[in-house]
């Protein structure tokens, strides 16, 4: 019988199941990930597999609860780094996704800094399905139009809208519709943000 080392963790409201397969090879089908990711089961935003150390870094593989693989997740990577730091008694951890190296540093208990690497801004790199101005994107959802969207890839695609009417945004309704818009062939993380002052922003994230 194979022992599965799995851990449930939370990072800024996102919850993750982390499976350590540095010693044991554990594979889950897409159907099994969807089953486990259901809120009627274990439930998670993402499931993350830690691989054996290679070239002084730990490769990680990340899947959304719908079974689709994604390139990176900042909150999930910080959780993995924190877990490995405790396991290895190290303040600095290097993680390797399928497209970049992530440097993590434990700065205090339950606080992890993560270098996500250089942001990608071209429509091909984000990616978008057509060549448009990536700093001024318009999305139409039903009868609503959202303008001024800023697109960027920091390991995975994001779109950010800045608004003064943040509290009117129904993120659980709008988020999934923007996420699955045809403009985003690899889907997209959706953020609405309001500037509070020069150092603070309030955000709703999907």
């Amino acid at each position: 019988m194979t022992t599965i080392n799995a851990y449930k963790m939370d990072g800024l409201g996102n919850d993750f199941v982390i499976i350590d397969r540095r010693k044991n090879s554990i594979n889950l089908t897409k159907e099994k990930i969807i089953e486990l990711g259901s809120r009627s089961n274990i439930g998670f935003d993402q499931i993350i597999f830690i691989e054996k150390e290679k070239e002084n870094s730990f490769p990680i593989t990340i899947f959304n609860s719908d079974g689709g693989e994604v390139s990176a997740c900042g909150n999930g990577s910080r959780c993995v780094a924190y877990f490995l730091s405790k396991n290895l008694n190290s303040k600095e951890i290097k993680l390797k996704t399928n497209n970049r190296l992530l440097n993590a540093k434990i700065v205090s208990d339950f606080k992890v800094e993560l270098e996500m690497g250089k942001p990608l801004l071209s429509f091909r790199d984000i990616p978008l399905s057509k060549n448009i101005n990536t700093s001024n994107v318009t999305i139409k959802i039903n009868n609503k139009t959202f303008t001024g969207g800023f697109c960027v890839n920091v390991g995975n695609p994001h779109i950010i809208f800045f608004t003064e009417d943040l509290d009117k945004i129904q993120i659980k309704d709008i988020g999934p519709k923007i996420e699955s818009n045809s403009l985003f062939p690899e889907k997209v993380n959706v953020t609405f943000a309001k500037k509070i002052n020069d150092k603070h922003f309030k955000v709703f994230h999907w």
Side-chain angles (χ1 to χ4, degrees), residues 87-103:
N87 184 255
L88 301 172
N89 193 28
S90 174
K91 294 289 186 181
E92 296 186 2
I93 300 292
K94 292 184 182 294
L95 304 177
K96 181 70 171 63
T97 70
N98 61 13
N99 65 5
R100 62 182 59 206
L101 187 68
L102 307 177
N103 295 309

Side-chain angles (χ1 to χ4, degrees), residues 109-158:
D109 202 24
F110 300 113
K111 187 174 182 180
V112 182
E113 289 182 354
L114 185 73
E115 295 178 11
M116 293 293 291
K118 183 180 179 181
L120 304 177
L121 302 172
S122 77
F123 87 97
R124 289 189 179 89
D125 292 334
I126 290 171
L128 305 182
S129 60
K130 56 184 177 181
N131 186 358
I132 60 175
N133 183 354
T134 61
S135 63
N136 189 18
V137 175
T138 296
I139 300 288
K140 294 182 179 179
I141 301 295
N142 299 333
N143 296 322
K144 295 183 179 180
T145 300
F146 302 94
T147 60
F150 184 91
C151 292
V152 61
N153 186 307
V154 285
N156 51 0
H158 287 72

